[in-house]
DNA sequence: TTATCATGGATAACTATTATCCGCAATAGC
DNA sequence: GCTATTGCGGATAATAGTTATCCATGATAA
């Protein structure tokens, strides 16, 4: 059981995008630089997030990414599912009917109890992720983390975000 | 996020071993045949279970595997951790401090909030698995599944289990 | 017109999983 | 003892999935 590294990158990027002002955007290259990631690969993951309606992208010289909705309505589950896919971690291969003792198909209409138990645990996992809002993550970071780290993060966002044409933004 | 196929095999084998009488054992080859799996690879997973003290193995012509403790005290979590390893699915790479903006190490003493949230969800997952006892799985199977399937399973166990020398076993 | 940036496809490098094979040790039955 | 059966461990290959890179394309602000 393993989660891809893209999940960590996606959550950090989303948390960073929660700090940009209004409709301003942040280039993917800037976020790749901020976390020491390869730009071309990070864009793949950001693309997954835009495809799922979590991020919005703006092309062009002043373009970049921004959250598609307020951080209060984005959960860690949204991000994890967007990057890792919606399929459950446990996939029942129905090996109970793969042996040499072939019974009629009608003997297997009831779902496999093992599969049910595994999926129940996975629902608990997803429920816990669904309760973690991106705004909570950001708030906890700003109140708990080292002030130097918070200041550096805010400075980075202020330096790299690009205000959009038809919106009023306040530059820090 | 993906669980290896060995998990499904391991749980099915453990459930089957819960049906053997007393100290009797069942050869790994028989279980591989029952589920249509490659014997040599299944033994690898069974080996993980024995290494973690979930199964016992007996070498020799009448040898095989049996549960190391009653099915009431074996949970799905025990099996999943034995096969998949104990490491959490989400591994924090600390990418927050991998960027070009190097702060002093003392700025990162507080644990990463994202990591904490992901691990909290994983604890919920494991807690749900820890509540699923192997005996519950077997009981649900015997009461809910198709009677033909149950009968076939019991017959297979009765046919392939090997009673041990120094123990009294009742042959069905 | 130009430079910047997202998008998508193609592709390669790398890693983990899945699978197989063989020699070894243990042991029940003859 | 001898033999056949079985688990154990190491070595190794085949396969799939992840990670990473590159390039051509389209959009757009200056």
């Amino acid at each position: 059981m393993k989660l891809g590294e893209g999940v960590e990158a996606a959550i950090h990027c989303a948390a960073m995008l929660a700090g940009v002002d209004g409709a301003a955007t942040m280039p993917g290259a800037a976020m790749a630089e901020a976390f020491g990631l390869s730009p071309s690969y990070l864009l793949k993951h950001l693309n997954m997030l835009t495809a799922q309606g979590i991020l919005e992208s703006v092309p062009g010289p002043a373009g970049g990414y921004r959250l598609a909705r307020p951080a209060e309505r984005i959960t860690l589950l949204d991000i994890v599912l967007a990057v890792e896919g919606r399929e459950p971690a446990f996939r029942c291969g129905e090996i109970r009917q793969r042996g040499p003792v072939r019974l009629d198909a009608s003997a297997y209409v009831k779902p496999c109890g093992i599969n049910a138990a595994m999926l129940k645990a996975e629902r608990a996992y997803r429920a816990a992720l669904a309760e973690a809002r991106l705004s909570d993550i950001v708030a906890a970071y700003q109140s708990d983390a080292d002030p130097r780290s918070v200041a550096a993060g805010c400075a980075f966002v202020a330096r790299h975000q690009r205000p959009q044409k038809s919106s009023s933004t306040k530059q820090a």
Side-chain angles (χ1 to χ4, degrees), chain A:
Chain A
M1 178 158 172
K2 227 179 47 179
L3 245 54
E5 294 178 7
V7 175
E8 186 182 8
I11 299 176
H12 269 100
C13 287
M16 175 169 278
L17 288 176
V20 305
D21 301 318
T25 63
M26 173 162 256
M31 292 189 279
E33 185 198 359
F35 298 121
L37 303 169
S38 92
S40 23
Y41 188 44
L42 177 62
L43 291 201
K44 286 270 189 292
H45 295 308
L46 295 180
N47 223 333
M48 297 282 180
L49 296 179
T50 55
Q52 299 298 316
I54 298 170
L55 300 186
E56 280 175 356
S57 64
V58 177
Y65 296 91
R66 72 179 154 230
L67 298 185
R69 43 190 150 108
E72 289 79 20
R73 295 201 292 115
I74 296 177
T75 70
L76 288 193
L77 181 63
D78 297 327
I79 300 175
V80 170
L81 289 187
V83 175
E84 290 281 317
R86 292 194 153 71
E87 294 138 29
F90 182 82
R91 296 142 300 163
C92 180
E94 288 289 337
I95 65 173
R96 59 176 175 170
Q97 46 179 310
R98 286 225 316 248
V101 204
R102 302 275 169 174
L103 289 179
D104 191 83
S106 65
Y108 299 112
V109 290
K110 292 276 183 61
C112 177
I114 292 172
N115 193 23
M118 295 299 292
L119 293 184
K120 181 182 174 187
E122 204 154 343
R123 278 197 298 274
Y125 178 70
R126 296 190 175 190
L129 284 184
E131 283 178 11
R133 291 182 301 234
L134 187 57
S135 51
D136 299 334
I137 299 286
V138 174
Y141 169 72
Q142 289 178 343
S143 70
D144 291 351
D146 189 286
R148 286 169 291 170
S149 173
V150 176
C154 289
F156 188 91
V157 170
R159 182 151 26 99
H160 287 279
Q161 71 178 349
R162 318 266 177 149
Q164 292 303 295
K165 221 180 183 177
S166 53
S167 86
S168 64
T169 59
K170 50 164 186 176
Q171 305 275 44

